Amino acid sequence: MKEEAALLGDPLAHPLLKAGAKSVVQRFGAYVVKGTGVYFLHQQESKDGEKAEPKEIFVCSWLLPVALVRDAKQEGWGMLVQFRDHDNHLHTWIMPMKLLKAGAEDIRASLLDMGLTIATSYKAKALLMDFILEANRKLQKDPNARARTTAQTGWLQLPTGEMVYVTPNRSIGNASELVHYVGDDGHRFSSSNTLEDWQYHVSLPIKGNSRPVFAVSIGFASALLHLLQMENSGFNLLGDSSIGKSTILIIVATLFGNPRQIVTTWNATSNGLEAVATLCNDAGLILDEMKQLAAEIAGMTAYHILNGKGRSRANLTGGSKGGSSWRLVLLSSGEIGLADLSNAKGGRLYAGQEQRLADIPADAGKGLGIFDTLNDRPSAQTLADELKQASHRHYGTAFTTFVAKIAADPEGTKEQAKKLMADFCATNRPKDAASQALRMLNRFALAAAAGELATIWGITGWNKGDSFWAASVCFKAWIAHRGGAGQQEPQELLKQVHSFFEAHGDSRFKRFYQDKLVEDKVIDMYGYRRDQMVTTDCIDERHTEYYVLPQSFNRIVQGFDPRVAARILAEKGMLYKGKAEATIQRLPGLKPAKYYRINLDAAGNEEEL
């Protein structure tokens, strides 16, 4: 597609690199760079004392210094050079200036390893270092011979205010400076075949399917986070292993490159996932099989990844060298949700963690697994197999085209995205929605807007409104799975309190029976329990109240603000006389003391929990 190629541009089309043709002869002090190599011009005198033509001494094969480079902090200075190896393959390399120490042996070794031919004489070794220093002096005097380096893909804002999207292969967007990637991620943003191929074989076959369309929209949304100054978010496709969740992940991976290299799993340490997240800056992080994440660290690991900041680490002198950071949208899948996984070993998923990763049932409810419609295919399995095969043949063109459109008009894109998000929120705002649901609605709106922009720009091949529809269906599925659009903390607190007393109500409390203290042995005592027989309609029932010590109450409601927890329990009638505080109580045979007097029966039926 000609328009796509024009947007993305040729990675070697920058004027600095264009000037590096082998046919161009350039002079650096006493050195000349020609198509046949680098030569030192040794001045000679003839027998009559007149200057003779300089003698050319071969230093190395063609090696052209192009520009001085530095990072966004004006550090990490180096020299961008170009050369060709023994197979005539062009290399563009950042030569760190710090390698000039100790006779530049590290530079010689690196160049030899990449295929440069270097003269072997002792004098030629010294001449190579002198040539590099001479080139450095010349480039210092040329203010246009400058380039930027970055070790992270994604949006980079230059000191001039210009924005470019950096990939390992090119920088997308118009900038006055050449930007060169020096990171370790060589596989992301690889591509195969054209955007039209991807549309026909991957994007159009999922049209009319809410989960795949929404997931692809999520992938596009990652490029808008920086522009809209939005925080990271994540979505987890929840359901059985046989319904096609992994197929969706593979489809979304085609936005960024080869799915085999893009899709990874939760089966990693927190530090390992941090490294993967750094590579996915301003792009999608795709993780499969959430159940492989250790239950005891599940909540904090997901929160850490979606918080967007790595841990600070010490440098060689003991000071802090800072931590990495990233902006991304996470797409995950699993047979178990984050909350259930976190609770598996007695942990708890806090509301802030729940707000970062939304569980969406992957089953569309049409008897076709992840699909709503088969688009003329005979079965869901046939469509899934077709999509997986196509995804491994056609990839890596849609997302780069999307960011090129953004780079061409950042402000226009920002305003358009904001309007689309506002329209989606206005249409899909639930009645009586709590702040948590409204924040999540905004994240669904971001994906909806991204998908609509990709459609408007001719990238997806979908109809206008398809992305809005898919995001709306998935948002409603999230609300239904969550149990409504109301605040979650009261329900979570009641569940936690009831779970504690179910597990420890008999073992952590000294017991009164008929107002007499039973001298049972209690380890790690939390307070007292008082059992009384109450007769109602000629039926005797045991009524139990717990007198919880103040310090123990804080442990029971761990993870919540104790004052907020007491207020919620008082509103539910579970605290004595509805007072959200410890009150003075007199137990038989004991001195008056402050307790939280808890009546579990007042919480109501199970539907309230």
Side-chain angles (χ1 to χ4, degrees):
M1 184 177 280
K2 292 182 179 179
E3 183 183 358
E4 172 200 346
L7 279 169
L8 297 177
D10 181 352
L12 300 179
H14 194 278
L16 281 175
L17 300 180
K18 275 186 173 181
K22 289 183 69 174
S23 60
V24 178
V25 177
Q26 296 200 38
R27 186 78 178 262
F28 297 89
Y31 297 86
V32 64
V33 179
K34 303 193 295 186
T36 55
V38 178
Y39 298 88
F40 172 65
L41 301 178
H42 177 60
Q43 291 292 340
Q44 305 178 90
E45 289 189 1
S46 61
K47 292 181 181 179
D48 56 9
E50 300 241 346
K51 284 188 178 181
E53 284 293 319
K55 179 183 177 182
E56 293 185 348
I57 299 176
F58 178 75
V59 179
C60 64
S61 57
W62 181 74
L63 173 68
L64 182 66
V66 176
L68 297 182
V69 301
R70 69 279 195 231
D71 61 24
K73 298 179 181 179
Q74 291 294 125
E75 298 175 353
W77 283 85
M79 183 187 296
L80 188 150
V81 298
Q82 287 188 310
F83 59 93
R84 294 186 181 274
D85 59 24
H86 309 305
D87 292 330
N88 205 36
H89 175 76
L90 181 65
H91 291 261
T92 300
W93 180 52
I94 301 294
M95 179 189 298
M97 300 308 294
K98 64 183 180 181
L99 295 185
L100 287 172
K101 65 179 182 179
E105 284 302 314
D106 288 340
I107 288 180
R108 282 174 47 82
S110 297
L111 290 170
L112 287 168
D113 184 62
M114 288 184 282
L116 186 73
T117 300
I118 301 177
T120 57
S121 67
Y122 178 80
K123 186 175 182 179
K125 292 180 181 180
L127 289 176
L128 177 62
M129 182 174 181
D130 188 54
F131 165 66
I132 293 169
L133 293 172
E134 192 67 51
N136 183 46
R137 284 190 286 271
K138 180 180 178 181
L139 293 174
Q140 286 178 22
K141 298 175 183 178
D142 183 2
N144 295 319
R146 296 290 186 273
R148 288 284 167 189
T149 59
T150 178
Q152 192 169 36
T153 56
W155 291 110
L156 175 67
Q157 189 155 10
L158 300 174
T160 58
E162 299 165 313
M163 265 183 33
V164 293
Y165 192 95
V166 180
T167 77
N169 304 315
R170 58 169 57 84
S171 295
I172 302 171
N174 296 319
S176 54
E177 280 192 321
L178 172 68
V179 179
H180 195 77
Y181 176 73
V182 293
D184 299 325
D185 183 19
H187 65 265
R188 191 166 289 268
F189 302 108
S190 61
S191 62
S192 175
N193 295 320
T194 67
L195 175 61
E196 290 172 327
D197 291 327
W198 177 82
Q199 284 180 356
Y200 183 78
H201 295 285
V202 179
S203 184
L204 286 175
I206 65 171
K207 192 174 181 295
N209 288 288
S210 56
R211 271 63 174 179
V213 168
F214 178 64
V216 170
S217 299
I218 289 170
F220 285 122
S222 57
L224 295 174
L225 290 174
H226 176 59
L227 198 65
L228 298 172
Q229 293 298 296
M230 290 184 64
E231 60 186 12
N232 298 346
S233 58
F235 302 87
N236 181 49
L237 298 172
L238 182 65
D240 296 336
S241 60
S242 58
I243 62 174
K245 301 187 305 296
S246 295
T247 300
I248 293 180
L249 300 189
I250 291 171
I251 292 169
V252 179
T254 63
L255 297 177
F256 310 105
N258 188 336
R260 291 188 178 90
Q261 297 172 314
I262 302 297
V263 179
T264 185
T265 72
W266 283 97
N267 187 21
T269 64
S270 182
N271 286 341
L273 288 175
E274 177 183 319
V276 175
T278 304
L279 297 177
C280 297
N281 183 52
D282 289 320
L285 172 60
I286 303 176
L287 298 175
D288 200 3
E289 297 295 344
M290 179 175 283
K291 66 182 179 182
Q292 295 183 3
L293 181 63
E296 57 271 18
I297 63 169
M300 288 310 300
T301 298
Y303 186 82
H304 170 60
I305 295 301
L306 291 169
N307 192 42
K309 292 186 181 298
R311 295 177 177 86
S312 295
R313 294 174 173 83
N315 57 26
L316 293 176
T317 63
S320 174
K321 64 178 182 181
S324 54
S325 62
W326 53 85
R327 294 176 297 262
L328 56 78
V329 178
L330 165 64
L331 180 63
S332 167
S333 75
E335 297 176 36
I336 186 172
L338 184 61
D340 291 335
L341 179 61
S342 183
N343 294 337
K345 291 192 176 180
R348 189 175 82 81
L349 189 67
Y350 302 116
Q353 296 168 340
E354 182 253 357
Q355 280 304 298
R356 295 299 182 96
L357 187 64
D359 285 329
I360 302 172
D363 195 325
K366 304 293 177 62
L368 303 172
I370 61 171
F371 301 116
D372 299 83
T373 178
L374 299 180
N375 289 325
D376 299 325
R377 274 66 174 184
S379 68
Q381 187 63 53
T382 301
L383 179 55
D385 290 343
E386 177 186 322
L387 287 167
K388 284 187 283 189
Q389 292 172 13
S391 294
H392 289 103
R393 294 196 306 269
H394 313 288
Y395 54 80
T397 54
F399 188 78
T400 49
T401 305
F402 187 75
V403 297
K405 287 285 191 179
I406 297 173
D409 184 12
E411 285 303 314
T413 300
K414 181 178 179 180
E415 293 307 312
Q416 197 172 6
K418 282 184 174 180
K419 184 180 184 307
L420 288 168
M421 289 179 64
D423 290 345
F424 181 86
C425 290
T427 303
N428 292 277
R429 181 187 178 107
K431 293 181 179 179
D432 303 323
S435 59
Q436 295 169 358
L438 293 178
R439 285 196 296 270
M440 189 57 71
L441 172 62
N442 206 40
R443 294 185 171 96
F444 277 82
L446 175 67
E452 286 301 312
L453 284 174
T455 299
I456 292 168
W457 291 337
I459 297 173
T460 63
W462 304 333
N463 295 331
K464 184 179 179 180
D466 284 354
S467 188
F468 266 36
W469 165 78
S472 177
V473 170
C474 291
F475 179 64
K476 292 172 183 175
W478 171 74
I479 289 178
H481 176 76
R482 179 179 185 263
Q487 204 75 0
Q488 287 294 91
E489 280 91 342
Q491 296 180 27
E492 292 174 359
L493 173 65
L494 294 180
K495 287 180 181 178
Q496 180 169 319
V497 170
H498 272 266
S499 295
F500 173 83
F501 283 102
E502 286 174 1
H504 306 292
D506 291 331
S507 60
R508 297 286 176 87
F509 295 87
K510 284 193 173 183
R511 184 166 59 94
F512 279 91
Y513 182 70
Q514 294 182 351
D515 288 337
K516 291 183 180 179
L517 185 63
V518 179
E519 294 298 331
D520 294 330
K521 184 178 181 181
V522 176
I523 300 174
D524 191 14
M525 189 182 83
Y526 274 54
Y528 301 89
R529 60 175 287 176
R530 192 175 184 182
D531 294 331
Q532 292 179 313
M533 298 304 296
V534 178
T535 301
T536 304
D537 296 331
C538 301
I539 300 176
D540 292 335
E541 295 180 345
R542 190 179 71 170
H543 176 71
T544 301
E545 286 189 330
Y546 294 90
Y547 295 77
V548 181
L549 297 167
Q551 63 269 27
S552 299
F553 178 80
N554 294 347
R555 294 167 68 183
I556 293 173
V557 299
Q558 184 177 5
F560 295 90
D561 184 322
R563 291 171 298 179
V564 174
R567 176 177 55 79
I568 293 173
L569 295 178
E571 290 173 354
K572 295 292 183 180
M574 294 174 66
L575 283 180
Y576 178 67
K577 291 185 177 179
K579 291 187 176 181
E581 58 185 351
T583 56
I584 295 177
Q585 302 290 323
R586 182 186 296 273
L587 290 170
L590 299 177
K591 293 181 179 180
K594 281 191 172 184
Y595 301 96
Y596 286 91
R597 184 176 171 183
I598 294 179
N599 174 16
L600 293 180
D601 296 333
N605 56 38
E606 291 297 321
E607 291 179 359
E608 290 183 286
L609 304 179

